[in-house]
Amino acid sequence: MTSVLDREMYTEAEAARLLRIRQSTLHYWLEGAQGPKKDYKPILRDKPRRSRTVTWAEFVEAGFLREYRRTHNVPMAELRKFIELLREQFGVPYPLADRRPFVSGKSLVFDAQTAAGLGVDYWMVTVAGDQLLLTTPADSFSRRVDWTDNIAVGYSPDANSDSPVRVQPDIRFGKPSIKGVSTEVIGEQHDAGEDADSIAEMYALDASDVAWALAYEFSVRATTQAA
């Protein structure tokens, strides 16, 4: 049986839109690239799949890369090696869609980032006194993910950490939603002239849910228009 992590969820274009990154960037992370003198291996896949579809695990791991690349301009060669080592250390194909590296497996992460040659500024785990702690981008990413039995089962696409908007593989085919209601549908109702109270009553939501959904949809539209 195909696990939730292996489930094909998005086209590259849709995944890139939800993550707010360029599709060309996501494609490089997934498939690598062919250069005039050298081929570059994928970062999120162990080898190219020649596919424009994105699995749930790949989407979640791309969220990690987005967090890291936006916060720190991490060198891709070292980051690629780091993720390869994490796969080996934890014995799973998607180590960044697994909670263990962020909680009980920090020592293995520390060893992997050192062996990969990551500079201190790019570490996922740092040392404070006699404790291993997540760095700011790693902690920020971990908090955006909903975990069940150490597996990623939800992701917050909204930059606002208080937002209840989630993408979940088993709800609305992975589209952003609040309490099972698509934020896109809420935005369409607003565009049609419905006020927030009417929308809340229509979908059995709280007024605050509608406000969060509209805030998210407006931010997505603004990002799309600016691209």
Side-chain angles (χ1 to χ4, degrees):
M1 293 180 61
T2 300
S3 75
V4 65
L5 294 177
D6 293 312
R7 190 178 302 169
E8 294 185 344
M9 293 296 304
Y10 307 106
T11 64
E12 268 189 9
E14 178 64 7
R17 186 184 72 84
L18 291 174
L19 293 166
R20 304 191 193 190
I21 58 177
R22 293 182 182 275
Q23 184 178 343
S24 58
T25 298
L26 179 59
H27 183 75
Y28 172 67
W29 292 352
L30 293 169
E31 288 289 291
Q34 292 183 330
K37 297 182 179 179
K38 180 181 179 180
D39 291 343
Y40 296 90
K41 293 173 58 180
I43 299 169
L44 297 179
R45 294 172 177 166
D46 58 353
K47 59 184 178 181
R49 288 201 293 115
R50 304 290 186 259
S51 172
R52 292 277 182 171
T53 59
V54 181
T55 67
W56 174 246
E58 289 167 349
F59 175 81
V60 173
E61 293 201 324
F64 173 84
L65 256 64
R66 175 195 180 280
E67 195 76 34
Y68 239 73
R69 291 288 289 177
R70 189 150 297 190
T71 306
H72 297 302
N73 191 28
V74 187
M76 285 290 98
E78 286 83 352
L79 189 54
R80 183 184 292 108
K81 181 63 175 177
F82 171 60
I83 294 175
E84 288 175 350
L85 289 171
L86 287 185
R87 289 193 191 110
E88 295 175 8
Q89 294 274 30
F90 289 93
V92 293
Y94 311 113
L96 300 174
D98 189 305
R99 195 182 184 202
R100 287 175 298 166
F102 301 93
V103 285
S104 61
K106 293 190 187 77
S107 61
L108 293 179
V109 174
F110 186 86
D111 293 342
Q113 67 192 16
T114 304
L118 280 176
V120 175
D121 291 340
Y122 310 134
W123 281 4
M124 179 175 158
V125 170
T126 189
V127 180
D130 59 352
Q131 288 187 309
L132 293 174
L133 302 175
L134 293 179
T135 58
T136 298
D139 182 64
S140 175
F141 166 76
S142 180
R143 291 175 184 275
R144 291 182 78 148
V145 178
D146 300 322
W147 307 94
T148 297
D149 296 330
N150 290 326
I151 298 298
V153 296
Y155 178 80
S156 172
D158 197 324
N160 190 323
S161 60
D162 293 326
S163 174
V165 175
R166 290 291 185 275
V167 290
Q168 297 164 285
D170 295 322
I171 296 178
R172 297 295 173 189
F173 303 100
K175 292 184 177 181
S177 64
I178 290 182
K179 296 179 180 177
V181 181
S182 165
T183 59
E184 184 178 20
V185 169
I186 293 173
E188 289 171 352
Q189 292 292 346
H190 178 270
D191 293 342
E194 297 287 350
D195 61 34
D197 289 338
S198 296
I199 297 172
E201 183 177 359
M202 190 181 306
Y203 295 107
L205 297 172
D206 296 330
S208 61
D209 296 327
V210 176
W212 278 114
L214 293 176
Y216 172 73
E217 283 296 313
F218 294 155
S219 69
V220 169
R221 296 177 188 182
T223 301
T224 302
Q225 292 171 357

